Amino acid sequence: MLNYEISEDRHRLYERYVNPQWVRLLNVLQMNVEYVRASGAELHTADGRQLLDILSGYCVHNVGHNHPSIIAAIKDELDRQGPAMLQSHVSELAGELAARLCASAGGRLSRAFFASSGSEGIEAVIKFARAHTGRSGMLYAEGGFHGLTCGALSLMSNPFWTEGFGALLPDTAAVPFGHLAELERQLSTQRFAAFVVEPVQGESGIRVAPREYLRRAEALCRRYETLFVLDEVQTGLYRTGPFLAAHHFGVEPDMVVLAKALSGGLVPSAAVLMTDTVSDSVYDSLKRAFVHTSTYSENSLAMRAGLATLDVLEHEQLGRRAAAIGERLRSRLVERLRGYEMFAEVRGLGLLCGIEFRAPRRFRLRLPFEAFARIHPAMFGQVVVMRLFRDHGILSQICGNDFMVLKVAPPLVITEEQIERCVTAVHALFELIHTSASFWTEALGLARRVMNV
Ligand SMILES: Cc1ncc(COP(=O)(O)O)c(C=O)c1O
């Protein structure tokens, strides 16, 4: 048995046997700290720091880190020593979780397929949509993020994610997010099985779909017999207020993908909700009863964690909380940041918010900013993340497809005091960026080091 006494050894093992570049990047950004405990919206490090998490593992920790009820449910499930992974029984827990998810989602969604990640959920969407329509094409919105498996990657327009991985699925096309005429032009070719879109594009800079866009997109999909699919991997499970972001827009998708927060951040899990008819077009005979499955999809730990997560979200009314605190957070940020040259706007729904920076016009700021951008377009945003972490003890990230937007998506259990801590820190950082030459000189030094790594 391996016995490593200090975690530094484990860091070295990770560097050696998993991904050395990831460790090097965290080191350069001074974010490679040893975490010992996480609870609610707080993270505790081995050297005694207490950090505030406003990233939530990209919307995984809606109920907060290590919620005691979910831990208790998982322990109970292990102690029960019930049937698990038999692959030849009916998973009662999956039935119960599916029924509850469909009841909360409403509309046409009346069946679930379980998976273990958002990407795997998107893969299922592709197969179910193709089986249902007999068409192979997939349409998606530019700038979206749907996962990094080959099928999901085929629905992503940013070459950063796709380059170097060879040919992806044929017969896919992108339409600009929010552009109905182009959507109709593509749909009218009647070669697309589904149109896949996020109601709020998360990685693309927290871009909330324009009010009427999703409703009219849904109507167009119906007209051209294309399935209307919402990727709610980040927006689902009360992140934006209601159970689904779809509920803000009054749309009834044919399929919805949920993942991330579904199992309280403790067990991998995902669910694709769909109509009976879409499901029946895959499972259409005894012969095809298991034609699309996945070994761990209905595993009892994920299902128990999912049920416990729904209980917590409902009992603690975290959707209502997300809506109220999100509003307050956005207005407090605007109050404190308006007037700064590099502040563009704050946007979002519920507790999925983005703070957009803009390129400065004044020469004194423009010069270093442009030097940065020449080194790497993500560099400015990464330095913002680093400074929030180092100077203010706040764990955040910029959006994967828009490096000028800082994501603020804390656990839905974040307190008013923690929100104030976040606003104060972001304000202090804006002040520093606009007044301190050392912010830029230090940052440029770091940027050069990163490029030499
Ligand atoms: C909107 C969206 N869809 C799909 C995915 C893929 O999920 P996973 O990383 O669980 O495969 C992500 C991941 O960040 C996402 O943000």
Side-chain angles (χ1 to χ4, degrees):
M1 188 167 133
L2 298 174
N3 184 14
Y4 297 97
E5 287 193 345
I6 50 169
S7 65
E8 225 174 273
D9 284 347
R10 296 209 187 101
H11 273 218
R12 271 200 287 276
L13 290 180
Y14 185 98
E15 191 170 9
R16 166 66 185 81
Y17 290 103
V18 184
N19 181 350
Q21 299 301 346
W22 177 243
V23 176
R24 293 166 82 186
L25 180 63
L26 286 178
N27 284 341
V28 177
L29 295 174
Q30 300 166 44
M31 290 176 69
N32 189 5
V33 300
E34 188 190 337
Y35 294 99
V36 289
R37 205 164 58 78
S39 146
E42 279 176 6
L43 308 169
H44 300 265
T45 65
D47 61 2
R49 289 184 82 196
Q50 180 240 80
L51 306 173
L52 178 64
D53 179 8
I54 62 165
L55 178 63
S56 304
Y58 297 90
C59 300
V60 168
H61 298 289
N62 287 12
V63 296
H65 290 270
N66 293 311
H67 195 290
S69 305
I70 296 160
I71 291 181
I74 293 171
K75 281 184 176 165
D76 186 59
E77 188 55 33
L78 287 170
D79 289 340
R80 187 167 78 98
Q81 300 188 26
M85 317 305 302
L86 302 185
Q87 313 300 352
S88 44
H89 80 309
V90 170
S91 163
E92 291 153 16
L93 291 173
E96 190 183 340
L97 181 58
R100 282 186 63 183
L101 291 172
C102 290
S104 298
R108 314 163 161 244
L109 302 167
S110 49
R111 293 261 181 95
F113 169 78
F114 289 103
S116 302
S117 70
S119 307
E120 198 191 345
I122 294 288
E123 299 294 330
V125 160
I126 296 171
K127 286 180 70 182
F128 277 82
R130 285 174 159 192
H132 182 70
T133 59
R135 301 173 181 173
S136 66
M138 294 294 298
L139 195 58
Y140 61 96
E142 263 168 29
F145 189 99
H146 300 296
L148 301 181
T149 53
C150 280
L153 265 186
S154 307
L155 310 184
M156 284 169 41
S157 54
N158 184 347
F160 171 78
W161 304 107
T162 53
E163 257 171 30
F165 296 108
L168 297 173
L169 283 185
D171 215 6
T172 63
V175 287
F177 184 62
H179 197 302
L180 286 162
E182 183 55 18
L183 178 65
E184 176 153 27
R185 197 181 69 74
Q186 290 286 359
L187 288 173
S188 65
T189 61
Q190 299 199 310
R191 66 187 176 92
F192 296 106
F195 171 52
V196 181
V197 62
E198 294 159 88
V200 180
Q201 285 196 321
E203 293 316 311
S204 200
I206 318 295
R207 301 199 179 270
V208 182
R211 196 91 222 120
E212 271 305 297
Y213 171 63
L214 289 182
R215 289 164 84 107
R216 293 179 59 193
E218 177 189 14
L220 287 173
C221 285
R222 299 267 134 75
R223 183 182 308 161
Y224 295 106
E225 296 174 339
T226 297
L227 296 178
F228 177 60
V229 180
L230 293 185
D231 178 341
E232 295 234 22
V233 167
Q234 289 205 26
T235 54
L237 295 140
Y238 301 102
R239 166 62 53 186
T240 72
F243 179 71
L244 297 178
H247 298 158
H248 282 289
F249 299 89
V251 290
E252 293 195 358
D254 299 292
M255 282 197 250
V256 162
V257 186
L258 298 172
K260 294 203 188 274
L262 179 56
S263 48
L266 290 167
V267 187
S269 188
V272 182
L273 308 183
M274 62 188 85
T275 64
D276 283 7
T277 49
V278 170
S279 171
D280 287 341
S281 44
V282 169
Y283 307 119
D284 61 356
S285 62
L286 275 186
K287 203 176 69 183
R288 289 170 61 84
F290 54 92
V291 72
H292 186 70
T293 62
S294 175
T295 302
Y296 277 93
S297 70
E298 294 170 4
N299 80 81
S300 58
L301 288 185
M303 300 299 102
R304 266 305 282 278
L307 287 164
T309 301
L310 290 184
D311 286 343
V312 170
L313 289 164
E314 288 162 16
H315 291 157
E316 297 185 12
Q317 303 198 338
L318 293 182
R320 197 182 285 182
R321 203 182 154 73
I325 296 198
E327 274 297 317
R328 183 165 160 68
L329 170 67
R330 283 187 290 281
S331 69
R332 291 285 294 128
L333 283 168
V334 171
E335 261 169 54
R336 301 297 296 276
L337 304 183
R338 79 157 71 89
Y340 283 106
E341 185 178 344
M342 288 191 69
F343 171 64
E345 65 168 346
V346 178
R347 54 178 174 260
L349 268 185
L351 275 173
L352 184 54
C353 309
I355 303 171
E356 180 163 14
F357 289 83
R358 69 168 157 232
R361 288 177 303 273
R362 262 186 308 153
F363 186 70
R364 195 176 58 77
L365 292 175
R366 213 179 65 214
L367 206 67
F369 179 81
E370 285 173 0
F372 250 25
R374 276 194 297 276
I375 295 171
H376 192 281
M379 201 48 74
F380 172 75
Q382 272 318 330
V383 171
V384 165
V385 168
M386 185 197 84
R387 295 297 296 236
L388 276 176
F389 189 83
R390 195 186 73 189
D391 303 350
H392 301 279
I394 290 192
L395 178 66
S396 65
Q397 200 35 278
I398 48 170
C399 294
N401 290 337
D402 187 336
F403 305 137
M404 290 293 275
V405 179
L406 180 75
K407 201 182 249 193
V408 186
L412 310 186
V413 294
I414 191 166
T415 64
E416 295 276 352
E417 274 167 16
Q418 289 168 329
I419 285 287
E420 263 323 292
R421 176 174 165 194
C422 165
V423 171
T424 305
V426 171
H427 174 245
L429 184 63
F430 266 82
E431 181 67 18
L432 188 78
I433 291 170
H434 287 78
T435 56
S436 153
S438 72
F439 168 85
W440 297 95
T441 40
E442 190 199 333
L444 275 169
L446 172 99
R448 294 201 177 97
R449 280 206 302 287
V450 170
M451 296 324 281
N452 289 332
V453 160

